[in-house]
Amino acid sequence: LERGSLHEWAGLVSGGVPFFAYAEFPLFDITFWTLMIAPTTVAAAHASFFIHLLLAGIGMFFLMGEFSKDKRASLVSALVFMYSGFFISHVSSNISYAYPFAYIPWAFLFAGKAVKSKDWAFYSALTGILLAFQILSGGSLIFLLTMLSFGFFLLVQVIGRNFVGRAVKAAL
């Protein structure tokens, strides 16, 4: 940074990897830039994790608020999502999987609003931006898994409620 450019090679990761070409590195994540302002790397990592933890919890709270109007149920869902085994275990082993995990409820929230709202273009754009953040935060595998469940979610939203019951009834 002193020379006015970012490093192009990360020599301390896996014996050396190209910095910008490494898809699992969260270079363009919104909280990666905390490294630039934090006093230490450890403080930046803790701040980044805490921001993603809050992002995940708040997103799940609002998503569950769309499904259930009970605030307590939304709070419990948010806490369970924030402190799920997947999220917490990847903090210590592979942080690049924990970062994109935080964007999942937000993408589902805005996609559901896009299907139900007259302002579908705005919510579709927000969904696309959040999915782009998910890719840029370093978790291409999490993005692929999100897209699989995302397709099923949108299918359910388009077909409507009780589609399993209607499908069984149609099959009989």
Side-chain angles (χ1 to χ4, degrees):
L1 290 177
E2 292 173 355
R3 292 180 291 154
S5 68
L6 294 172
H7 297 287
E8 296 175 7
W9 186 261
L12 299 176
V13 177
S14 299
V17 295
F19 198 60
F20 294 114
Y22 184 51
E24 296 295 317
F25 190 74
L27 178 65
F28 296 107
D29 184 48
I30 56 174
T31 60
F32 175 76
W33 301 102
T34 58
L35 283 172
M36 304 302 172
I37 59 173
T40 65
T41 307
V42 174
H46 288 150
S48 182
F49 167 69
F50 185 69
I51 290 168
H52 280 89
L53 187 69
L54 284 177
L55 201 63
I58 293 168
M60 184 56 75
F61 180 81
F62 285 128
L63 178 63
M64 287 296 105
E66 288 291 313
F67 293 121
S68 167
K69 300 303 176 193
D70 185 13
K71 299 282 187 204
R72 289 177 291 174
S74 297
L75 181 63
V76 169
S77 297
L79 289 173
V80 168
F81 186 74
M82 285 170 63
Y83 298 110
S84 67
F86 181 87
F87 195 66
I88 298 301
S89 68
H90 280 87
V91 168
S92 61
S93 63
N94 192 353
I95 196 72
S96 66
Y97 284 172
Y99 287 168
F101 192 66
Y103 297 109
I104 293 173
W106 290 102
F108 279 89
L109 172 70
F110 292 129
K113 286 183 180 260
V115 172
K116 295 176 184 175
S117 173
K118 291 181 181 180
D119 203 9
W120 62 270
F122 173 72
Y123 289 118
S124 297
L126 281 177
T127 303
I129 290 168
L130 287 163
L131 291 173
F133 277 151
Q134 196 176 35
I135 293 172
L136 294 174
S137 65
S140 54
L141 176 64
I142 301 301
F143 173 75
L144 291 175
L145 295 174
T146 301
M147 293 313 311
L148 284 173
S149 56
F150 201 71
F152 181 72
F153 175 76
L154 287 178
L155 182 67
V156 169
Q157 293 295 316
V158 169
I159 293 175
R161 293 183 181 242
N162 198 16
F163 80 98
V164 173
R166 288 186 292 166
V168 169
K169 189 175 180 180
L172 295 175

